[in-house]
Amino acid sequence: GENVEQHPSTLSVQEGDSAVIKCTYSDSASNYFPWYKQELGKRPQLIIDIRSNVGEKKDQRIAVTLNKTAKHFSLHITETQPEDSAVYFCAPYLNQAGTALIFGKGTTLSVSS
Amino acid sequence: EPEVTQTPSHQVTQMGQEVILRCVPISNHLYFYWYRQILGQKVEFLVSFYNNEISEKSEIFDDQFSVERPDGSNFTLKIRSTKLEDSAMYFCASSEESSTNQPQHFGDGTRLSIL
């Protein structure tokens, strides 16, 4: 069946530190790997995504790396700020699931100043 | 930036009643989705919709649920005979294409509370 594992479930860092969240998926045919940020009571907001033809993508302080062989992709946030505090979800398309995004269980990131 | 809009933001309903949640997808998008999120849990896929028919549905999307595009802009989720466990946040999303390579954009959600 569909399987998306996300680690860690919680992550606490000091402002200015880096944060890394890892997502492991089961379907080797997957080709699209987004990360969503969800603040309390708000919508999941797409913050970065990567397609299977590249290994890394960067957007200012946020980057995503993809290892298709090992079937995992990671979110990297550098120079964290208190406003980065939120729940982060990986949500790959799993080929067997067709058009559905399959969300991980989420990582609660807390950035303290 | 265009957004997916959802109404109402909060719906309170008695158990057993029917509810209709409404969504206006981004105007040039062709594919529409419903997801739900039980409080404190992950987001779960319910259904995808294209060209006036369901493309895919999850095990959650049973006969209690239905979707419709009644006109050129709205996309609705109907839940019949609501149960306490239907209480959740329901998110609508849309994407330009359905190839498994396109971002889905989410609305702000409708919080459904079943009493």
Side-chain angles (χ1 to χ4, degrees):
Chain A
E2 304 146 2
N3 194 12
V4 176
E5 297 287 335
Q6 193 175 331
H7 297 281
S9 56
T10 60
L11 182 57
S12 297
V13 300
Q14 290 287 323
E15 183 176 2
D17 288 350
S18 295
V20 181
I21 304 169
K22 184 176 178 179
C23 184
T24 304
Y25 58 95
S26 58
D27 189 346
S28 58
S30 299
N31 62 3
Y32 177 66
F33 308 92
W35 283 96
Y36 284 84
K37 175 184 180 183
Q38 188 178 34
E39 296 175 357
L40 190 63
K42 297 194 174 180
R43 72 175 78 183
Q45 181 185 8
L46 179 67
I47 55 171
I48 198 166
D49 56 12
I50 194 168
R51 291 169 176 79
S52 58
N53 56 342
V54 297
E56 182 174 0
K57 182 178 177 181
K58 194 171 183 180
D59 182 4
Q60 300 182 342
R61 297 186 298 108
I62 294 173
V64 54
T65 57
L66 172 65
N67 184 328
K68 283 216 74 180
T69 303
K71 293 188 283 186
H72 64 74
F73 63 112
S74 297
L75 175 69
H76 305 255
I77 307 174
T78 59
E79 301 171 34
T80 53
Q81 301 167 2
E83 51 265 39
D84 294 329
S85 297
V87 181
Y88 291 83
F89 292 96
C90 62
Y93 281 116
L94 297 185
N95 202 51
Q96 63 209 50
T99 56
L101 293 175
I102 305 302
F103 281 74
K105 291 186 177 180
T107 296
T108 301
L109 175 63
S110 301
V111 181
S112 52
S113 54
Chain B
E1 184 176 331
E3 291 185 342
V4 175
T5 58
Q6 290 185 243
T7 54
S9 56
H10 191 189
Q11 175 76 46
V12 182
T13 301
Q14 291 288 328
M15 186 170 59
Q17 297 297 305
E18 174 183 287
V19 295
I20 297 176
L21 310 183
R22 302 181 191 279
C23 170
V24 178
I26 295 172
S27 62
N28 64 332
H29 286 188
L30 302 177
Y31 293 84
F32 317 124
Y33 312 85
W34 283 102
Y35 292 81
R36 80 171 184 191
Q37 186 177 32
I38 295 170
L39 186 64
Q41 298 187 22
K42 67 178 182 179
V43 179
E44 299 175 291
F45 170 74
L46 293 178
V47 65
S48 60
F49 189 88
Y50 169 69
N51 199 26
N52 285 320
E53 59 183 29
I54 290 173
S55 299
E56 283 183 85
K57 58 182 181 179
S58 71
E59 292 178 352
I60 302 169
F61 194 89
D62 59 19
D63 292 342
Q64 187 192 2
F65 296 87
S66 62
V67 290
E68 191 179 25
R69 187 154 166 83
D71 54 44
S73 59
N74 290 283
F75 177 52
T76 62
L77 174 68
K78 181 187 291 186
I79 310 175
R80 291 177 283 274
S81 302
T82 49
K83 300 174 286 198
L84 294 177
E85 53 265 39
D86 294 327
S87 296
M89 197 76 171
Y90 288 80
F91 291 104
C92 175
S94 68
S95 64
E96 287 187 57
E97 301 171 26
S98 83
S99 63
T100 53
N101 200 22
Q102 297 300 319
Q104 294 183 18
H105 299 275
F106 285 72
D108 283 333
T110 293
R111 180 171 301 283
L112 178 63
S113 299
I114 306 299
L115 305 179

